[in-house]
Amino acid sequence: MPQLAIHKDFLHEFAKLEKPVQNRVTEVFAKFEQATHTGLHLEKITGARDDRFRTIRIDQFWRGVVLAPTSGDTYTLLRVLPHDDAYDWAKRRKASVNTATGGIEIRDVAAIDASLPHMKRMAQDTTDRLFAHVKDADMERLGVDEQTLAFARTLTASFQLDAARGLLPPVQWDVLYGLAAGMSPDEVWQELGAAITEEVDPEDLDAAVERSRDRVLLVEGPEELMAALEHPFDLWRIYLHPVQRAVVEASYRGPARISGGPGTGKTVVALHRAHRLARAGGRVLLTTFTSTLAEALDSSLRLLAETDGAGDAAAVLERVRVEHIDRVAHRVFRETHGQPDLLSAQRERQLWEQVIGELGLDLSPAFLAEEWRQVVLSRRVTTADEYLAAKRTGRGRGLSTSQRARVWQAVSAFGERSAERGLWTHETIAEEAARLLEARDDKPFDHVVVDEAQDLHLGQWRLLRAAAAEGPDDVFIAGDTHQRIYGPQVSLAEVGINIRGRSSKLRINYRTTAQILGWSLGLMHGQTVDDMDGGLDSVAGCRSEMRGDEPLLSGFTTWEAELRHLVDTVQGWTETGVLPGEIGVAARSNRAVEQAVSALESAGLPARALAKGTADGESVAVGTMHRMKGLEFRCLAVVGVGGQQLPAPRSITPEDEDPGAHARDLLRERSLLFVACTRAREQLYVSWHQTPSPFIEALLDKN
């Protein structure tokens, strides 16, 4: 009986089809297993370069392109296009099996063949070839086939390879990219994550599809098909690239970490890791920084468990607790102390001002609060002598011994008054929860999996370290320090989490087009960012396989004019078939969010502020840049990126008060813009009024 497989490229394209076409596609392929080849109207294509391609009638205008096996039962749906476009697309392409990975590949053979003579003529004038240092045997070992090899031998510069990204099979292009970047063949092999040990039959498409779970979804019956087509993006986010799968399935002797740029699949890896550990019988805590992200993790975990095919979804979900980190801390705290009385930001500032007034100090509340958090709390300082000896790493303002003594007076007074009144902060609750768990022999979890790890502070890390006993696979960390928008710089070694030798990095972006990613990476160019392990992190090598339009950049004289153009931009997106629920708008402040929502609604566009709940899937989602964390949209507008709005003046410590805090605040604001821009999948629009933000000035000069 025929079995249907769906290529990921089709899942991405399906969401762009009009609803009637989507419905018809679903109807046709829901009957796939029961229908005969004749009943499905599978037609051969005259003049095709690969006689295994077939077309299937969707309606009078639309056709599906299907790859039929020479032997076996697996038919792979590749595209749905208008009649003539479908035939043209299929005639130009050919399917093959990668001899290194064993996976299926689709390439534009006609385009490669047409470009080869021109490339050879261009290469005649120089002896410098891009891959002169790589042997044919190494190319072949890495799955580069005869046609791609011939093309590669004509290349003289890396920009030619970049231009060929859409022509070559993605895996083979990745191989060439790595070799061109100076990686050895063995390093490239490791990057592929390939683990094929058996001999690969280049004609066995069924086996190739089975090996291609990172690119092809096997559908078991009409219900699974309906689920896949109903939520194509959500479903695809739970599938793994081979490199990701290798990290998920590895056994570690202790804590381990996966890092990588935006859209590289860190969250997917964390989800699969938690799921795998729970399936093995472990008690798992899956946590992240905010409640919104925790809700998204919980939803994705349930989808993963339900589509895993193991039949034990309920049991697996029962063994995984999905909670954001503050809720974990508060829950542990309440078990011993009951409900805490939280010290609000306003009350905290008032208390610091009271202490400063009583002691006659010339220090600001902001400076003392940061000194308390980053030095006293983070290093568990409890006495004056400990504070005088404590390292103040990251604090830009030096203090003499006498100044330290006065600061300690203030910190001690603050702590005493907070204790007298029974007041707690989220930081002190986390520290107390960590102390309680450290004292317990019966740890509540066997494994801890952390997403968006870069935003946690030391107290939260101590809590997580204490939540599971030290041992194999105890702590798994996913994060990107370039996206740190909340927490201070942290060294994992300080809290007893040693990841040396157990750290991996993802480089392929699966969310954002190369154009959007390249522009966004430019925001972080030249910035020094720590890696939470005593070294520096880099976004070098982060890349996308998807091509698209360049970001749209617009400046205006007034905020009102900027809002009017935002409305025009969003309307333009909807007129091209983009649904309102697929559009996001990000701004720096809550006030700007409210005004953007009002402008969109006044124009008859459904809009919803994310502060009032998560995205509803039906309205344009408008939120602060902080609220954009963990979300993604087909089209995204980032507004108010002006010199007066970003960096936000109230979020920047004056340089004369604390140069170190000033530099960290600027980097955090820059990272915030970086996070917002990388939420866009296909279209990115960035606007400002009056002067542009200093973060984008250099990028504007390049345009």
Side-chain angles (χ1 to χ4, degrees), residues 554-597:
S554 295
F556 303 90
T557 56
T558 66
W559 175 231
E560 290 73 23
E562 187 179 351
L563 284 176
R564 287 195 296 271
H565 200 266
L566 168 67
V567 171
D568 293 341
T569 300
V570 172
Q571 284 179 328
W573 286 335
T574 61
E575 289 169 2
T576 64
V578 181
L579 300 175
E582 299 174 319
I583 299 172
V585 178
R588 180 62 182 88
S589 68
N590 284 311
R591 179 172 175 79
V593 168
E594 293 171 0
Q595 292 170 332
V597 170

Side-chain angles (χ1 to χ4, degrees), residues 390-703:
K391 293 181 179 179
R392 299 178 65 251
T393 305
R395 302 292 286 150
R397 176 178 175 179
L399 296 175
S400 66
T401 300
S402 60
Q403 287 174 321
R404 282 205 185 199
R406 291 196 295 273
V407 169
W408 180 252
Q409 281 185 292
V411 168
S412 297
F414 177 85
E416 290 169 2
R417 284 160 177 72
S418 298
E420 290 168 359
R421 302 173 191 182
L423 299 174
W424 297 81
T425 67
H426 289 298
E427 292 90 350
T428 56
I429 289 172
E431 288 287 352
E432 176 63 8
R435 187 188 66 79
L436 292 169
L437 288 182
E438 288 168 349
R440 289 176 53 176
D441 293 326
D442 59 324
K443 304 298 185 183
F445 302 100
D446 303 305
H447 313 282
V448 172
V449 178
V450 189
D451 191 31
E452 301 291 353
Q454 71 277 352
D455 283 321
L456 273 58
H457 58 69
L458 277 174
Q460 293 168 328
W461 280 113
R462 290 193 184 97
L463 168 63
L464 296 177
R465 175 62 283 178
E470 295 186 19
D473 301 323
D474 52 352
V475 180
F476 185 86
I477 300 162
D480 175 18
T481 49
H482 289 85
Q483 299 185 64
R484 181 186 289 128
I485 62 175
Y486 291 106
Q489 181 175 327
V490 166
S491 171
L492 293 174
E494 288 187 50
V495 292
I497 297 177
N498 181 9
I499 58 173
R500 296 290 172 90
R502 295 185 293 272
S503 188
S504 305
K505 190 164 188 173
L506 302 174
R507 292 181 174 86
I508 302 177
N509 180 296
Y510 298 97
R511 175 200 303 144
T512 302
T513 66
Q515 287 74 17
I516 294 173
L517 178 64
W519 191 88
S520 301
L521 290 175
L523 294 169
M524 304 303 295
H525 180 72
Q527 302 302 306
T528 302
V529 181
D530 70 286
D531 68 351
M532 300 176 65
D533 194 32
L536 299 178
D537 198 6
S538 172
V539 291
C542 188
R543 61 193 187 275
S544 171
E545 296 180 345
M546 299 177 289
R547 310 295 291 181
D549 298 329
E550 294 289 342
L552 300 172
L553 313 172
S554 295
F556 303 90
T557 56
T558 66
W559 175 231
E560 290 73 23
E562 187 179 351
L563 284 176
R564 287 195 296 271
H565 200 266
L566 168 67
V567 171
D568 293 341
T569 300
V570 172
Q571 284 179 328
W573 286 335
T574 61
E575 289 169 2
T576 64
V578 181
L579 300 175
E582 299 174 319
I583 299 172
V585 178
R588 180 62 182 88
S589 68
N590 284 311
R591 179 172 175 79
V593 168
E594 293 171 0
Q595 292 170 332
V597 170
S598 178
L600 292 167
E601 289 181 334
S602 297
L605 292 163
R608 178 186 177 106
L610 288 176
K612 299 179 181 179
T614 57
D616 61 8
E618 309 239 343
S619 308
V620 177
V622 188
T624 63
M625 294 179 182
H626 286 91
R627 290 273 179 183
M628 291 290 129
K629 190 85 172 253
L631 303 178
E632 61 182 75
F633 303 91
R634 280 186 65 185
C635 302
L636 176 75
V638 186
V639 298
V641 189
Q644 301 301 311
Q645 295 81 39
L646 198 71
R650 291 186 177 182
S651 298
I652 304 299
T653 303
E655 189 171 13
D656 58 355
E657 180 176 300
D658 189 333
H662 177 79
R664 285 194 303 275
D665 292 344
L666 285 176
L667 179 58
R668 189 177 292 113
E669 289 286 294
R670 183 185 291 271
S671 295
L672 191 58
L673 178 59
F674 176 64
V675 167
C677 291
T678 54
R679 303 306 96 188
R681 290 201 304 263
E682 300 173 16
Q683 297 277 347
L684 173 65
Y685 168 78
V686 178
S687 67
W688 62 93
H689 58 276
Q690 297 181 1
T691 60
S693 166
F695 299 151
I696 66 173
E697 285 180 336
L699 298 178
L700 294 177
D701 292 339
K702 294 179 180 179
N703 287 350

Side-chain angles (χ1 to χ4, degrees), residues 203-268:
E203 300 299 323
D204 192 345
L205 292 184
D206 276 17
V209 169
E210 183 66 32
R211 299 189 194 102
S212 303
R213 294 302 182 94
D214 62 312
R215 296 184 178 275
V216 178
L217 168 66
L218 282 168
V219 176
E220 300 288 345
E223 291 184 1
E224 190 168 320
L225 172 69
M226 294 286 287
L229 298 184
E230 186 176 358
H231 305 287
F233 291 111
D234 292 338
L235 186 64
W236 198 256
R237 279 198 290 269
I238 67 175
Y239 285 86
L240 295 172
H241 183 275
V243 174
Q244 298 168 337
R245 186 172 298 280
V247 174
V248 167
E249 296 179 350
S251 295
Y252 301 100
R253 297 180 64 182
R257 178 183 67 175
I258 186 73
S259 62
T264 54
K266 300 180 297 296
T267 296
V268 175

